Amino acid sequence: RDFRGRAVFMTGAKGCVVARCDLRNAEVGVFLGDDTHDCQIRGCDITQTQGDGVSILGTSTDHERVSGHVVDNCYIWDFGWGRIHNRCGGVYMHRCARCRLTHNHVHDGPRYALAMDVGNDCEFAYNHCHHVNLVTTDGGIIEAATALDWSLSVEQQRERHRPHNWGNQVHHNRLHDSGGWQTSPAGELVFPAFTWGIYLDLDCSGWQVHDNVCYDTVLGGFMLNGGTDNVVENNVFAEGKQHQIQWNPWRGYVTRDNRCARNIFAYAGRPA
């Protein structure tokens, strides 16, 4: 454990492996920082972290500075209780390329299970994630966002999409019980509220979302908040309390050329 409280902390690392470790009572279980490539985190149990179970964090607009990492077959639970904020996950990625999150079991955290803010050619597959967003709202079990740098104009943000924010996949995941706390007009706390299964936030584009099973969500199994050229197909979205799927055009951003096909939607009664 380094002085910053991470159980495993790496920068400038290439081809390192963290396998079959029991990591707990740390700021972060495993931290992969700037100029790290092709590292693997496999078969680890990670719990009782103040922040993320695993952080994969680039520091440059060049996503190639953090690339090729794999988080596979890890059990991550009861995480994030010391740093409750909008960027806390079982695995959280930021400015990276070609990273793969596969076969993980993630549950019981204040925010999302798996998440990424800006990245390209990454994969979220064969994960079982549930009972998250236990403190926060406006989130998903798996969540992503693109428009991170609000100082840029919409045109500048879109120019960087194809080289930096394209080609990501979410497939063959089992996602349920999306959670979410919200305050009612009467001032009462409501749970669950205002969450989705898979949430592609502002202007995510070029994503493939297929062969997932999402159930027992609030606002649906899938949400797109602006964005283009996304494909959502062959999924099962069931028992969303208010909706099963949402497409939300965002003022000032283009929402077009998105495709939704061959999905199953199942729910019982109103108001869904």
Side-chain angles (χ1 to χ4, degrees):
R1 180 174 296 156
D2 78 322
F3 71 97
R4 280 163 284 195
R6 281 86 169 191
V8 179
F9 178 87
M10 287 186 267
T11 59
K14 296 175 176 62
C16 295
V17 178
V18 180
R20 297 183 299 276
C21 293
D22 185 354
L23 307 172
R24 62 184 66 218
N25 301 321
E27 173 73 17
V28 172
V30 180
F31 182 94
L32 298 175
D34 187 44
D35 196 24
T36 56
H37 305 276
D38 303 315
C39 295
Q40 300 181 39
I41 306 167
R42 293 188 180 274
C44 294
D45 286 357
I46 303 174
T47 187
Q48 296 298 313
T49 60
Q50 292 191 67
D52 304 328
V54 177
S55 299
I56 302 174
L57 302 182
T59 58
S60 168
T61 56
D62 178 7
H63 296 179
E64 294 300 322
R65 287 191 64 84
V66 175
S67 68
H69 298 311
V70 174
V71 182
D72 179 72
N73 196 33
C74 292
Y75 182 27
I76 305 171
W77 80 102
D78 207 15
F79 59 89
W81 299 114
R83 298 287 184 268
I84 298 172
H85 54 77
N86 283 341
R87 295 294 180 268
C88 181
V91 181
Y92 175 67
M93 303 189 294
H94 168 74
R95 296 189 187 274
C96 57
R98 298 181 304 282
C99 294
R100 300 178 63 237
L101 311 182
T102 55
H103 306 103
N104 301 292
H105 185 189
V106 183
H107 65 86
D108 283 271
R111 190 67 171 157
Y112 17 63
L114 308 174
M116 179 175 71
D117 276 352
V118 300
N120 63 277
D121 302 295
C122 293
E123 183 179 17
F124 303 71
Y126 299 100
N127 301 287
H128 179 200
C129 305
H130 58 96
H131 291 93
V132 289
N133 292 292
L134 297 182
V135 175
T136 61
T137 190
D138 189 14
I141 300 174
I142 293 179
E143 182 165 344
T146 294
L148 180 71
D149 192 344
W150 297 97
S151 65
L152 298 178
S153 68
V154 172
E155 291 74 17
Q156 290 173 312
Q157 291 180 49
R158 295 199 60 77
E159 284 177 4
R160 74 182 184 183
H161 276 4
R162 282 195 181 272
H164 292 306
N165 302 298
W166 211 271
N168 300 297
Q169 296 188 59
V170 180
H171 65 89
H172 292 95
N173 299 283
R174 178 187 174 195
L175 311 173
H176 59 95
D177 294 278
S178 59
W181 283 95
Q182 194 173 46
T183 305
S184 73
E188 299 175 342
L189 288 175
V190 178
F191 183 90
F194 207 68
T195 56
W196 297 267
I198 300 165
Y199 181 15
L200 301 186
D201 205 353
L202 185 52
D203 212 28
C204 282
S205 299
W207 284 71
Q208 302 283 325
V209 178
H210 63 89
D211 296 286
N212 301 283
V213 176
C214 302
Y215 58 95
D216 289 342
T217 61
V218 180
L219 295 177
F222 175 81
M223 160 65 151
L224 177 71
N225 201 13
T228 68
D229 299 283
N230 298 288
V231 176
V232 180
E233 63 182 359
N234 296 334
N235 301 283
V236 176
F237 299 123
E239 297 302 337
K241 292 176 175 57
Q242 298 178 35
H243 310 287
Q244 308 311 316
I245 190 169
Q246 288 188 298
W247 303 83
N248 183 44
W250 187 276
R251 181 179 297 177
Y253 289 83
V254 177
T255 305
R256 70 182 182 208
D257 298 323
N258 297 298
R259 184 167 181 264
C260 179
R262 296 188 299 274
N263 300 286
I264 293 175
F265 302 96
Y267 56 98
R270 301 171 75 179

